[in-house]
Amino acid sequence: MYSGQQKISFFNYKELLFAWTSRIIRARYQQSILGGLWAIVQPIATVLIFTVVFSYFLKVDTGKVPYIVFSYTAMVPWLFFSTSINEMVESIVSNMNLVAKIYFPREILVFSTLLARLVDFLIAFVLLIILIIIYKVPVNLPVWLFIPVILVCQISLALGIGFFASSINVFFRDIKHVFTLIMQLWLYATPIIYPISIVPEKFKNIYFLNPMVGIIEGYRAILLYGKMPDISFVFSLIISVVVLLLGYTFFKKIEFRFADII
Amino acid sequence: MNQKIILQNVSKRYRIGKSSLNIRSLFKNKKSEEKFHWAVKDINFNLGAGEALGIIGPNGAGKTTILKLLSRVTFPTSGKIELNGRYSALIELGAGFHPDLSGRENVFLNGTILGMRKAEIEKRFDQIVDFAGIEKYIDTPVKRYSSGMYARLGFSVAAHVDPEILIVDEVLAVGDMAFQKKCYDRMLNLIRNGTTLVFVSHNMRAIQKVCSRSIVLYRGTMAYEGSSSDATAEYSNILRKAASENSETELENLSDGIGQRIMTQKAIIEKVEIYRDDGLPCHSYQSGETALVRAYVKFLESAQSPVIACSIRDPEGLIVYDFTTEWAQIKTPDFEANTKAIIEFPLELNLSSGTYQLGVNLAYKDLSRYYDRIDRALDFAVSSSSGSRGISDLKANIKIMNESGNPL
């Protein structure tokens, strides 16, 4: 039992959150020539591969929107989601020397890992806007105001999963490998490299249980079709908030054992 | 209610053995017994503002566990810990330093981890860099720092957090003497300004310098609590007891002399006595008198030409006199197993008035280990009428003369 006047709240550590985020970013691009440009190299390379496959070998119908813009729109948020989860899983374990030596709210390690990837996401998003202009996709700017809501929803989902995974990974390092696998499968269970129209009708009910479907479709609706997201996004939003609350509660319950196990 | 730190019956248990399950143990279908180890048990102490507590004890006594409990890194299994005030823990220097980032960036990072606000760090930045003495290298990545520079910068940041409670592990072993002195001065300064300090060290001199009170930990329990000088003396007794319980115990850097060595108890100093030159046991002497120290030794195994030593310390632990047969190049005889011997030293007590502690020890010929060592076998007092102060009485027989040498 601890007591005393000093109550440590997340808020007191706001500055640490930003300091740690900037540490991750700066360390990542230290001694690298391309630096922040790496944030767009990865989604572009991935999209180019799928563009070759799906525009030339297996033709996929993406309507009026060229395939490359169609898939890049989804690939940028997806890579933010999957990369940050894969990194969050290890965020506690890879800082074990700190966790075992100094007290600070451990969720900072998880959250800052995600924030550091958010910066990459924003850089890649700028390129997305350029692509939209180059390919003359019609733009409906007022609905763009809804993008932050989708982004917050996506971050909540990722963070909730990150809290779960990073704390369990302290006890069982298998989680790291499990998540690498899950993220690979999840990519194909989400309409990123293909349009949702090719999903057979009889699977649609199960398909929409994946909260990332509503999120990705939400991005496409706004950016490519100038529409507000449909009802499936509301479902994603509810799931994301629940996952975040559960994940964070779990994390705080188990946090005190980290230093002993590590 | 002015207590800054209160520990009530604090205990911490660790599970030992395999930490987590794996596939193989699942298939074995055998419930492996969980084993527990009490790292610390029933620890109690209170500290108010401006108080400093030293924690000493052999390796594995639970010192680090207490520090981790105090810094909230780990939680007690039972008991209560109360911390009132902003604290800074120095369990590892430069925690969170990233090797690729510059000294400047790391100062900010480390400072925020220790709970400082960015504005506060900016305000103290020059002081921090100045204290560490690395102005020239502040924009160099810390991976190019020497370990000394790294540690200096780490200590400097932590010492400028301006904490109400400061927890310092033995991290000052790095750095040169001048920097260590700077660190101790900084700690004393903080204490004077009301900081509560908990300091773990193997360096008895440092503990005595910084802390008025100390506790001795042995096997997770508080074996002694009292003034730092008494605790230091008690520590050697505890080590001796430990040595007789299990055959070999490590002797940590007990002040100077033969440093980090082992006590084997293959020979035991059974009794140490001190006599006046008329043969009567006596514990108070006039300065300049001769006292006869007699030690009774029992050899459990044969000993080849052991090194015999005796030392006198003042109550602060400062060595006033230290004598060994090795330094004096005296060849000692060999001793058979299961024999006894009596060793006598006549000592001319040219000491100033005060109390002194007499220690006797017996080391292996190659000085690799001790047979037995008692740092405080007995205390004696010296009184002097010469009016001198200090530790030795050099009998200044003062004469005052005029230019031509005639007494005035």
Side-chain angles (χ1 to χ4, degrees):
Chain A
M1 271 290 295
Y2 277 100
S3 60
Q5 293 155 359
Q6 195 188 27
K7 287 277 168 281
I8 298 165
S9 76
F10 191 75
F11 190 74
N12 287 358
Y13 282 82
K14 199 176 55 188
E15 290 195 352
L16 177 56
L17 178 67
F18 293 127
W20 199 256
T21 306
S22 91
R23 174 197 196 258
I24 298 174
I25 296 168
R26 267 187 283 196
R28 187 190 297 155
Y29 298 123
Q30 193 78 220
Q31 288 193 4
S32 108
I33 298 166
L34 287 186
L37 284 180
W38 280 110
I40 47 179
V41 172
Q42 209 201 349
I44 288 210
T46 324
V47 162
L48 283 180
I49 293 164
F50 288 123
T51 305
V52 170
V53 174
F54 290 110
S55 312
Y56 298 100
F57 303 158
L58 290 162
K59 281 225 186 319
V60 169
D61 183 18
T62 54
K64 278 183 285 179
V65 184
Y67 180 83
I68 187 161
V69 186
F70 178 85
S71 61
Y72 188 80
T73 309
M75 192 57 83
V76 169
W78 170 260
L79 281 179
F80 171 39
F81 183 73
S82 69
T83 316
S84 60
I85 286 180
N86 279 331
E87 287 176 0
M88 279 189 284
V89 173
E90 291 210 77
S91 58
I92 302 290
V93 170
S94 61
N95 289 299
M96 50 164 73
N97 63 331
L98 213 54
V99 171
K101 296 267 159 76
I102 292 188
Y103 180 77
F104 55 90
R106 276 67 169 95
E107 57 265 39
I108 283 182
L109 294 175
V110 183
F111 197 15
S112 58
T113 307
L114 181 123
L115 286 186
R117 281 296 168 196
L118 177 63
V119 174
D120 284 14
F121 170 79
L122 295 177
I123 296 172
F125 199 83
V126 171
L127 182 70
L128 175 60
I129 294 170
I130 295 171
L131 279 180
I132 286 173
I133 294 166
I134 291 174
Y135 284 92
K136 299 195 174 68
V137 178
V139 169
N140 179 4
L141 274 181
V143 291
W144 282 43
L145 291 175
F146 199 71
I147 292 176
V149 180
I150 305 188
L151 188 56
V152 167
C153 169
Q154 173 186 356
I155 288 175
S156 312
L157 182 63
L159 204 54
I161 295 171
F163 282 137
F164 262 119
S166 60
S167 50
I168 303 173
N169 193 49
V170 173
F171 302 89
F172 310 103
R173 301 290 150 86
D174 314 64
I175 295 299
K176 180 180 78 184
H177 307 293
V178 171
F179 266 87
T180 316
L181 198 63
I182 289 179
M183 295 325 288
Q184 273 174 27
L185 299 178
W186 203 338
L187 168 69
Y188 296 100
T190 311
I192 291 158
I193 54 173
Y194 56 84
I196 198 158
S197 55
I198 67 166
V199 178
E201 205 57 44
K202 55 179 176 180
F203 294 135
K204 279 246 165 97
N205 283 339
I206 308 169
Y207 192 78
F208 275 102
L209 286 180
N210 171 5
M212 278 310 277
V213 174
I215 291 170
I216 294 295
E217 283 301 294
Y219 278 115
R220 279 212 181 106
I222 291 171
L223 294 165
L224 303 181
Y225 308 112
K227 291 187 297 191
M228 285 294 280
D230 63 17
I231 194 75
S232 66
F233 176 71
V234 178
F235 172 75
S236 300
L237 194 60
I238 294 167
I239 294 278
S240 302
V241 170
V242 169
V243 168
L244 177 62
L245 291 179
L246 288 179
Y248 187 65
T249 315
F250 180 76
F251 186 88
K252 291 308 272 184
K253 275 249 157 68
I254 204 168
E255 171 193 46
F256 78 98
R257 291 183 58 192
F258 290 171
D260 295 349
I261 297 292
I262 272 174
Chain B
M1 226 280 313
N2 215 2
Q3 296 296 331
K4 290 286 178 192
I5 303 179
I6 301 173
L7 266 77
Q8 269 173 20
N9 304 321
V10 170
S11 302
K12 173 76 189 182
R13 191 177 67 173
Y14 281 105
R15 201 166 66 191
I16 49 175
K18 263 202 129 18
S19 60
S20 57
L21 55 145
N22 57 28
I23 291 253
R24 223 184 302 161
S25 66
L26 279 179
F27 279 116
K28 264 192 205 152
N29 198 20
K30 200 173 69 183
K31 282 249 157 66
S32 59
E33 280 172 61
E34 286 190 313
K35 285 183 186 153
F36 294 100
H37 164 68
W38 289 94
V40 293
K41 225 172 165 177
D42 281 331
I43 304 294
N44 289 287
F45 62 79
N46 295 344
L47 285 175
E51 285 190 287
L53 180 78
I55 299 180
I56 51 184
N59 288 337
K63 301 187 297 281
T64 308
T65 306
I66 291 198
L67 287 190
K68 285 189 172 181
L69 287 166
L70 283 175
S71 55
R72 295 187 202 228
V73 164
T74 187
F75 284 64
T77 311
S78 65
K80 206 180 132 204
I81 297 176
E82 191 175 322
L83 298 165
N84 297 309
R86 164 174 167 155
Y87 63 85
S88 177
L90 252 175
I91 299 188
E92 189 179 60
L93 285 182
F97 273 19
H98 194 291
D100 281 332
L101 301 182
S102 71
R104 183 185 304 275
E105 289 169 306
N106 274 312
V107 165
F108 280 94
L109 194 60
N110 190 225
T112 15
I113 289 178
L114 295 175
M116 270 199 278
R117 303 208 162 272
K118 199 163 174 237
E120 288 177 280
I121 304 173
E122 264 157 15
K123 217 172 69 193
R124 296 188 191 135
F125 188 79
D126 291 338
Q127 263 174 286
I128 292 172
V129 177
D130 185 53
F131 187 90
I134 53 155
E135 296 85 347
K136 262 164 61 188
Y137 309 98
I138 194 65
D139 289 308
T140 310
V142 296
K143 65 182 171 189
R144 309 217 193 287
Y145 281 22
S146 70
S147 53
M149 285 159 68
Y150 192 93
R152 290 209 302 266
L153 189 61
F155 182 86
S156 183
V157 178
H160 286 86
V161 173
D162 206 6
E164 287 172 69
I165 299 170
L166 181 66
I167 296 157
V168 185
D169 195 1
E170 181 157 53
V171 284
L172 305 174
V174 289
D176 51 26
M177 293 294 273
F179 183 72
Q180 288 191 14
K181 187 178 178 316
K182 241 163 115 180
C183 296
Y184 296 135
D185 288 347
R186 175 77 195 167
M187 286 198 264
L188 287 170
N189 206 353
L190 286 170
I191 296 166
R192 265 196 296 278
N193 290 322
T195 298
T196 303
L197 180 86
V198 178
F199 182 32
V200 164
S201 181
H202 287 310
N203 185 339
M204 301 298 148
R205 296 297 302 278
I207 290 261
Q208 288 180 7
K209 208 167 160 184
V210 176
C211 309
S212 49
R213 249 169 77 199
S214 284
I215 58 176
V216 181
L217 285 183
Y218 180 63
R219 291 194 182 155
T221 57
M222 283 169 63
Y224 185 81
E225 183 180 10
S227 77
S228 287
S229 47
D230 286 349
T232 313
E234 190 59 31
Y235 177 43
S236 71
N237 287 342
I238 285 162
L239 284 179
R240 190 160 180 267
K241 201 176 78 195
S244 59
E245 279 170 18
N246 40 6
S247 57
E248 297 203 346
T249 309
E250 228 170 296
L251 249 186
E252 324 281 354
N253 256 337
L254 253 180
S255 68
D256 321 46
I258 313 173
Q260 190 136 354
R261 299 291 153 79
I262 287 166
M263 223 189 297
T264 62
Q265 298 267 312
K266 299 278 159 64
I268 295 167
I269 301 169
E270 291 186 306
K271 197 165 61 171
V272 179
E273 288 170 341
I274 186 165
Y275 300 97
R276 251 171 19 199
D277 52 5
D278 59 10
L280 289 170
C282 176
H283 286 262
S284 65
Y285 294 86
Q286 282 294 315
S287 177
E289 240 185 311
T290 299
L292 190 67
V293 175
R294 191 178 289 157
Y296 296 84
V297 182
K298 185 171 150 192
F299 291 91
L300 301 175
E301 288 178 20
S302 64
Q304 210 193 356
S305 187
V307 176
I308 302 163
C310 101
S311 64
I312 293 172
R313 288 180 169 78
D314 74 358
E316 268 88 57
L318 182 73
I319 292 188
V320 173
Y321 178 74
D322 204 357
F323 168 87
T324 77
T325 53
E326 163 85 6
W327 297 336
Q329 296 184 337
I330 295 167
K331 169 108 175 63
T332 52
D334 296 343
F335 296 92
E336 297 288 310
N338 296 315
T339 56
K340 291 191 177 189
I342 298 171
I343 300 163
E344 271 188 3
F345 315 83
L347 295 172
E348 243 176 80
L349 301 176
N350 292 322
L351 299 168
S352 290
S353 46
T355 58
Y356 296 91
Q357 302 166 0
L358 177 84
V360 176
N361 66 62
L362 205 62
Y364 282 74
K365 191 185 174 192
D366 58 1
L367 296 178
S368 63
R369 283 160 296 172
Y370 286 104
Y371 290 102
D372 198 3
R373 164 170 181 157
I374 311 177
D375 277 9
R376 192 180 183 180
L378 52 87
D379 289 8
F380 62 91
V382 173
S383 52
S384 159
S385 53
S386 71
S388 62
R389 291 189 188 175
I391 46 175
S392 62
D393 189 348
L394 303 181
K395 306 248 187 296
N397 199 359
I398 190 165
K399 281 181 194 148
I400 303 165
M401 290 159 288
N402 63 13
E403 274 178 293
S404 47
N406 299 320
L408 281 172

